[in-house]
Amino acid sequence: MRALCLDPVADTRRTYRALVDAMSRPGSLESVSATPADRAVLATLVDEEVTVRTADDSLGDALAAEGRRREAPIDSARVIHSTGSTEGAIREAPRGTLKEPSLGATVVYRLEELGDGAATTVRLEGPGVRGSRTLGVGLPAAELEAIGDAQADYPRGVDVVLTTTDRLACLPRSVTLEVI
């Protein structure tokens, strides 16, 4: 993982732990020691068997240098990386089946803002959220509505990982989100 500038054991282990914590508590912010967080997440989730879609050429080249890039279109990629809004294309991402919901994609967003003061606020409800939780997200409202559409048929849907330089938050397919 030298091309990704990450320690292949320590950084991926810590990132995995942050992902597990964030998935189990949707909307909570978790720190990631390896930066930028989106690279750490992709290094943790992507191997030579996982299809990936990224718009970031340098990240794609780094994955290829590690033998980890199996490029796929957005409608069949298991991991989708976006450097901001997908312009609603997340609706085309694989959502799995009723029998195999785990075949749904994981979408990793690289954002400038996450948490208080971010452009758009969402309210989350569902497993892992006591009552409801709000989260500021640096995405346009239309993209967050597209995420909601892609998660509307639970247990089918997509899992979303929102990242900044050193933090991440997750919106698993099990939550309901409302743009407020």
Side-chain angles (χ1 to χ4, degrees):
M1 286 198 226
R2 302 295 177 225
L4 291 167
C5 301
L6 298 168
D7 181 296
V9 177
D11 288 336
T12 57
R13 183 181 59 81
R14 285 190 290 260
T15 302
Y16 179 77
R17 185 72 241 166
L19 282 167
V20 169
D21 290 346
M23 280 288 182
S24 62
R25 291 187 299 279
S28 66
L29 295 173
E30 299 293 330
S31 294
V32 179
S33 60
T35 59
D38 62 325
R39 281 185 175 242
V41 169
L42 265 68
T44 303
L45 298 179
V46 176
D47 63 21
E48 67 279 352
E49 296 180 9
V50 175
T51 55
V52 65
R53 174 76 178 161
T54 181
D56 182 336
D57 291 334
S58 69
L59 179 55
D61 292 344
L63 289 169
E66 297 287 340
R68 295 168 169 244
R69 186 174 187 176
R70 261 186 69 205
E71 186 71 25
I74 198 166
D75 63 352
S76 63
R78 293 296 307 274
V79 175
I80 300 164
H81 176 254
S82 181
T83 57
S85 176
T86 67
E87 305 296 326
I90 189 174
R91 289 183 178 101
E92 300 169 24
R95 298 180 189 185
T97 65
L98 288 175
K99 191 173 183 178
E100 292 289 340
S102 62
L103 296 176
T106 299
V107 184
V108 180
Y109 286 92
R110 180 191 309 155
L111 306 175
E112 296 294 321
E113 302 173 312
L114 185 60
D116 295 337
T120 310
T121 302
V122 294
R123 178 178 295 118
L124 306 172
E125 294 180 348
V129 179
R130 187 172 292 160
S132 68
R133 176 178 291 140
T134 58
L135 175 67
V137 180
L139 285 171
E143 183 72 7
L144 290 159
E145 289 168 0
I147 291 170
D149 291 346
Q151 295 179 329
D153 193 20
Y154 183 79
R156 297 176 63 238
V158 299
D159 293 317
V160 174
V161 180
L162 306 166
T163 68
T164 60
T165 302
D166 61 349
R167 296 189 308 171
L168 63 85
C170 293
L171 306 175
R173 68 189 70 177
S174 60
V175 298
T176 302
L177 63 92
E178 173 190 6
V179 178
I180 52 175

